[in-house]
Amino acid sequence: MSTHLVWFRADLRLHDNFALAAACRDPDAQVLALFIATPEQWKAHHMAPRQAAYIVAQVNALRQALAEKNIPLIFHEAADFAASVEIVKTVCQQHEVTQLFYNYQYEFNERQRDAAVERVLTDTVCQGFDDSVILPPGAVMTGNHEMYKVFTPYKNAWLRRLKEHMPECVRAPESRNTSAVTDAATIHFQYPQQPFDPALFPADEKAAIGQLRRFCQEGAGEYEAQRDFPSIEGTSRLSACLAVGVLSPRQCLYRLLAEQPEALNGGAGSVWLNELIWREFYRHLMTYFPRLCKHRPFIDWTDRVRWQEPSEALIAWQEGRTGYPIVDAAMRQLNATGWMHNRLRMIVASFLVKDLLIDWRQGEQYFMSQLVDGCLAANNGGWQWAASTGTDAAPYFRIFNPTTQGERFDKSGAFIRQWLPELAEVPERAIHQPWVWAEKQKVEINYPRPIVDHAEARVATLAAYEAAKKHGM
């Protein structure tokens, strides 16, 4: 009898899992599953304690779901990716594994790890799959067979390719005809953890599928109109599920089209589909430009920008004490929940980089240390977009005004009041500049004045970018 091993990583689900489905195709094969925690590697990558707790919950839910299919999950903990290579080799030897199945991860360190595994498994066939994307890297290229560097032509080519051939969406495996798997002990990680809110983030695969279904039925059609307003529950909140693989992007695509059939043609649901395409774009870019995994900007000259030292201003930004209410409310939402509304991610990133002139990598790292949906490709892509250092980024002279952004996207201050209770008595008309109101009324509010003057900061930032660009030419 052949023995198949499925190595789970960021794909913690039974449904539409290419590696799992392939391992289970032979009805006579014994199928085993493996998950390896790598706490030192996670620490180096600044994984958020909430994301660690989220992964623990999903791994334990997956263990139970696999047991119901008579597939045992083997759990190991290794310091880092290098140590995990030896564990995979040992497990394969102990269980006489004939074939190893896994889904590709596109980050540089993960690709190096997988290459090392293939080198040491001389007696085991390794099979990898493009599972975390709808279209695999290389499927959407320019006429010169190069990776697109601008989103809109990429999106148009992506849609054309998708319409030519819709990807397969595979079923969860049937129960194996082997002896029943006894329920194993609950899995724990030796990594700092912070509780996540299961009311905000689905705690298992069934809950994630239910949330996807509800959003596509009730929210996707209104997404374009509601997505920019943080006081409205107008987004899917499925990013954490996609980040750790509790849902596949193909499940999102098929459920969206089932509920919003015109999404592929620019109709209802197309703007949420756009978000899935942005996700693909950043993953494909990371595959072709691995320097994005190495703290490097996509645009070389931007590495010459002279950033301010990350002193008290960085701490004030992290803690939500900048004196700009929309920025502070967003950062407090992040710190309290491990998640931030997408419009707010753009606002706070612009503020850190272009008002405080602090290196975007400081913000990228802090986000990863807090986000339950932390994903290197998406986080790096978003920060480089905001900092004007990435491919298809906002031009460096586009600088959000944090006050007008707040007035535009939280006009009444409903979101601000939710996270800044110290501004509860400030009237609606003054909520975005509470210090002005406080001075006129001669009242004290427990809220700081702005730590930077936006108009002055804009001038300084433009000068810093223009000097870097001139020096780089």
Side-chain angles (χ1 to χ4, degrees):
M1 177 188 293
S2 58
T3 300
H4 294 174
L5 179 64
V6 186
W7 183 11
F8 285 89
R9 290 97 72 95
D11 50 359
L12 305 177
R13 65 183 184 278
L14 295 188
H15 293 81
D16 195 37
N17 186 317
F18 285 178
L20 178 62
C24 293
R25 275 195 191 109
D26 182 353
D28 298 321
Q30 180 186 17
V31 179
L32 308 174
L34 172 67
F35 184 85
I36 304 172
T38 52
E40 289 303 314
Q41 195 80 42
W42 293 345
K43 182 179 179 181
H45 291 170
H46 311 290
M47 181 193 281
R50 274 197 187 86
Q51 186 170 59
Y54 192 65
I55 292 172
V56 168
Q58 302 299 346
V59 169
N60 277 297
L62 177 67
R63 173 183 56 80
Q64 293 178 331
L66 286 168
E68 292 171 5
K69 304 289 185 181
N70 293 332
I71 300 172
L73 176 66
I74 302 165
F75 172 75
H76 283 280
E77 189 161 282
D80 53 22
F81 287 162
S84 71
V85 173
E86 289 304 311
I87 287 177
V88 173
K89 179 181 178 181
T90 299
V91 170
C92 287
Q93 290 173 340
Q94 288 176 344
H95 297 276
E96 298 180 345
V97 171
T98 52
Q99 294 187 62
L100 173 68
F101 299 81
Y102 55 85
N103 294 314
Y104 293 129
Q105 293 179 285
Y106 302 118
E107 298 87 349
F108 180 78
N109 289 337
E110 284 80 346
R111 290 166 72 185
Q112 296 291 102
R113 172 203 60 199
D114 291 351
V117 165
E118 291 190 14
R119 285 194 297 270
V120 302
L121 293 186
T122 54
D123 297 323
T124 303
V125 177
C126 298
Q127 295 191 48
F129 301 87
D130 289 298
D131 174 83
S132 70
V133 286
I134 296 170
L135 298 178
V140 184
M141 306 292 278
T142 69
N144 294 327
H145 303 290
E146 296 176 346
M147 176 62 200
Y148 283 94
K149 298 174 184 178
V150 178
F151 176 72
T152 299
Y154 171 87
K155 179 188 78 169
N156 294 335
W158 189 95
L159 287 168
R160 286 194 300 271
R161 182 63 188 267
L162 183 73
K163 290 174 183 178
E164 291 169 2
H165 180 70
M166 291 289 287
E168 178 186 26
C169 205
V170 298
R171 294 177 177 275
E174 300 293 333
S175 293
R176 309 301 295 170
N177 296 319
T178 55
S179 56
V181 174
T182 56
D183 194 22
T186 301
I187 290 168
H188 299 280
F189 297 170
Q190 298 301 312
Y191 190 86
Q193 289 167 48
Q194 190 175 359
F196 67 93
D197 187 346
L200 298 178
F201 311 108
D204 57 40
E205 186 177 1
K206 183 178 179 181
I209 292 171
Q211 186 165 319
L212 171 63
R213 186 184 302 270
R214 286 190 300 276
F215 174 76
C216 290
Q217 288 172 344
E218 303 165 10
E222 301 298 318
Y223 181 75
E224 182 176 9
Q226 297 185 344
R227 64 178 178 144
D228 280 323
F229 303 97
S231 64
I232 300 172
E233 280 295 326
T235 65
S236 71
R237 284 193 187 268
L238 292 171
S239 51
C241 298
L242 284 163
V244 306
V246 182
L247 289 174
S248 81
R250 293 173 302 280
Q251 287 174 289
C252 296
L253 173 67
Y254 276 99
R255 177 46 55 187
L256 176 66
L257 295 180
E259 305 295 344
Q260 309 290 343
E262 289 303 309
L264 276 183
N265 301 311
S270 61
V271 177
W272 194 63
L273 175 61
N274 239 32
E275 300 299 325
L276 294 176
I277 303 173
W278 270 108
R279 181 179 179 274
E280 302 265 307
F281 183 51
Y282 287 141
R283 284 178 173 254
H284 287 195
L285 281 169
M286 194 155 278
T287 305
Y288 283 92
F289 302 101
R291 69 177 182 272
L292 297 176
C293 301
K294 302 177 181 180
H295 312 293
R296 303 294 298 174
F298 190 86
I299 301 172
D300 287 337
W301 68 260
T302 63
D303 220 10
R304 300 185 182 91
V305 174
R306 296 188 64 177
W307 306 109
Q308 296 289 331
E309 286 298 316
S311 57
E312 289 298 316
L314 174 62
I315 297 171
W317 175 83
Q318 291 172 342
E319 295 179 352
R321 296 185 291 102
T322 69
Y324 286 93
I326 195 66
V327 173
D328 294 338
M331 294 306 294
R332 294 195 202 176
Q333 179 187 45
L334 172 66
N335 294 335
T337 69
W339 183 85
M340 187 190 292
H341 186 278
N342 188 56
R343 167 57 59 176
L344 301 181
R345 296 189 196 205
M346 292 189 280
I347 293 171
V348 303
S350 177
F351 184 84
L352 181 73
V353 177
K354 295 180 177 176
D355 280 78
L356 301 181
L357 200 58
I358 290 176
D359 193 333
W360 57 272
R361 284 160 282 218
Q362 294 283 343
E364 180 192 24
Q365 178 179 319
Y366 186 73
F367 265 34
M368 286 301 287
S369 75
Q370 299 296 317
L371 287 171
V372 71
D373 64 359
C375 163
L376 176 61
N379 190 47
N380 179 272
W383 273 96
Q384 293 224 40
W385 182 89
S388 306
T389 63
T391 178
D392 201 30
Y396 71 88
F397 48 81
R398 181 183 296 164
I399 300 177
F400 286 171
N401 181 318
T403 302
T404 56
Q405 287 286 307
E407 293 168 346
R408 182 177 178 186
F409 298 112
D410 190 34
K411 185 176 180 180
S412 71
F415 178 80
I416 289 170
R417 293 175 201 284
Q418 180 183 354
W419 294 102
L420 304 180
E422 60 267 42
L423 300 182
E425 301 304 316
V426 179
E428 181 178 312
R429 69 181 185 280
I431 194 67
H432 300 286
Q433 293 181 299
W435 61 91
V436 176
W437 172 83
E439 285 181 356
K440 285 182 178 179
Q441 299 300 316
K442 295 182 171 56
V443 297
E444 291 287 332
I445 54 174
N446 184 27
Y447 185 71
R449 292 181 59 82
I451 62 172
V452 65
D453 179 281
H454 172 70
E456 294 175 1
R458 187 178 189 279
V459 172
T461 295
L462 288 174
Y465 273 79
E466 285 162 6
K469 188 174 186 181
K470 183 179 180 181
H471 183 69
M473 294 177 67

